Amino acid sequence: MGKLGAFKELGRTPPPERDPAERVHDFHEFVGTLPLTELRAQASRCMECGVPFCHSGCPLGNLIPDWNDLVYRDRWDEAIHELHRTNNFPEFTGRLCPAPCEAACVLEINEGDAVSIKQVELSIVNRAWEEGWIVPRPAATRTGRSVAVIGSGPAGLACAQQLARAGESVVVYERDEAAGGLVRFGVPEFKIEKRLVERRVDQLRAEGVEFRFGVDVGVDVDVEELRAAHDAVVISTGARVPRDLPVPGRELDGVHFAMEYLYDRARIIDGTQNEGLTAAGKHVIVIGGGDTGADCVAHAHREGAASVTQIELLGEPPERRPDDVTPWPRWPMKLRTSYALHEGGERSFAVSTTHLSGEDGRVRAIHWQHNSGVPPFDLVAGTEESHPAELVLLAMGFLGPERSLLDRLGVAADGRGNADAPRFHTSAEGVFAAGDARRGQSLVVWAIDEGRRCAAAVRAWLDARDGVGEPTFVSIAAVRGAE
């Protein structure tokens, strides 16, 4: 597997990035890939480790050593087959996944030396599109059954594609004007260009998937009519209920959820909207230290904000993997600095917002106090601070799916407010759930995995209902031949 001993001869080479001082002036992707010869060398570092822990790190179970070896041997057309066996949209994960597979790589025992799995993955799919190896693969026959998929994020798209390729008729209902969910409207253009999302949507259409945009199920379409029109329904609406900030001054103008800002920016950049929330010339405060917060920081830079500050409730983590807390091969809880902060801005840890203040109904300042950094986040006396704030963006995570749709469909919720569907089938007969709507806020790689497994569960239930022999699942061989 790979080149014998290469991991001892070659070090890890990170992907090339455009200079932060340059990229803040445009909306083009800023992360590239190495030349093919260098990528082959990086892929050759994948050692024959016996137990490939990268498999356990990847929710999709990607066959990482297999396609690393194929890239090393310059068999790229076979590599895309292996990649598509487990992953419908590797151009999404290759750009947006934080790569838990790399954290689980055996070479990561020497921290920072993991195989460049994510970069190799992205290079495989990029070349496959360039060479024309990725084409629609419609089903040879149809079952005559119909499935409605509500929501077109990565979970919904993966579920729809798996079902369509297995011969089911699929209709995707999306309340926004385009497909992709948060990948389309939440993640910035400079992390993934939206033409790449549209390219996959076109592939799904060619495979027989029907998309109905601007349709809010339960509002524009009655749920009983929907259920009568389809044999099964899949809820893949994501976890769209944001966590709020219950402090005095929250009601002031200029205080918004992060997704309000990111959706406006996505539509303005796309040219489908002229005005919206803007950070231009303003003192911006982003509350929340995750990826959503980082994306807000990066957009604020590109708009020319007067200042950008990101604050985090939790204390500052250690710079290196804490083996007593998250030992290899678990995802390490360590300090990470986002791409956005490399572009500029300030960051503070262990900060609790106490209140917001303003004048004429608009926010003008944020007031905070440092805390202990760990629950219950006790405030530290004498650490009160005030900072200018003209746009405050709340990026503190999500609480779960919107309950109105679940209630209309008669779907019970679990203890966390997500659709209660342990094996994807909910409490409502013929209604399934996948992705963040089922498991809560998570990664794009989990969403794709959820969509694939939900599609198998839907087909098994339909086959059992129709008395079609043993429950049918999409075989690995079928998936391999249907990228």
Side-chain angles (χ1 to χ4, degrees), residues 55-77:
H55 285 191
S56 67
C58 176
L60 281 165
N62 280 337
L63 306 174
I64 295 162
D66 301 62
W67 39 260
N68 272 331
D69 184 62
L70 289 167
V71 166
Y72 164 59
R73 300 180 189 284
D74 205 25
R75 292 156 59 180
W76 293 80
D77 56 335

Side-chain angles (χ1 to χ4, degrees), residues 186-224:
V187 180
E189 178 82 7
F190 42 87
K191 285 176 67 176
I192 181 168
E193 295 177 0
K194 306 316 170 189
R195 65 179 181 83
L196 305 179
V197 181
E198 291 299 323
R199 184 170 62 184
R200 280 294 184 181
V201 173
D202 289 342
Q203 182 191 34
L204 265 69
R205 282 199 184 95
E207 292 173 353
V209 177
E210 178 184 349
F211 288 89
R212 298 182 186 177
F213 297 121
V215 178
D216 191 353
V217 174
V219 177
D220 301 313
V221 174
D222 182 77
V223 294
E224 294 304 322

Side-chain angles (χ1 to χ4, degrees), residues 418-432:
N418 303 316
D420 189 10
R423 296 184 178 179
F424 300 99
H425 200 170
T426 71
S427 57
E429 186 71 5
V431 179
F432 298 77

Side-chain angles (χ1 to χ4, degrees), residues 18-40:
R18 292 196 291 134
D19 187 277
E22 169 199 323
R23 70 195 194 211
V24 294
H25 298 294
D26 62 54
F27 300 103
H28 302 304
E29 288 188 16
F30 62 87
V31 180
T33 56
L34 293 169
L36 295 185
T37 53
E38 293 185 49
L39 279 164
R40 289 180 62 196

Side-chain angles (χ1 to χ4, degrees), residues 159 163 232 234 422-425 432-433 450-464 471-474:
C159 184
L163 289 169
V234 175
R423 296 184 178 179
F424 300 99
H425 200 170
F432 298 77
E450 288 267 313
R452 291 172 63 89
R453 291 196 291 139
C454 182
V458 170
R459 294 206 65 220
W461 180 81
L462 288 171
D463 285 350
T472 301
F473 293 86
V474 181

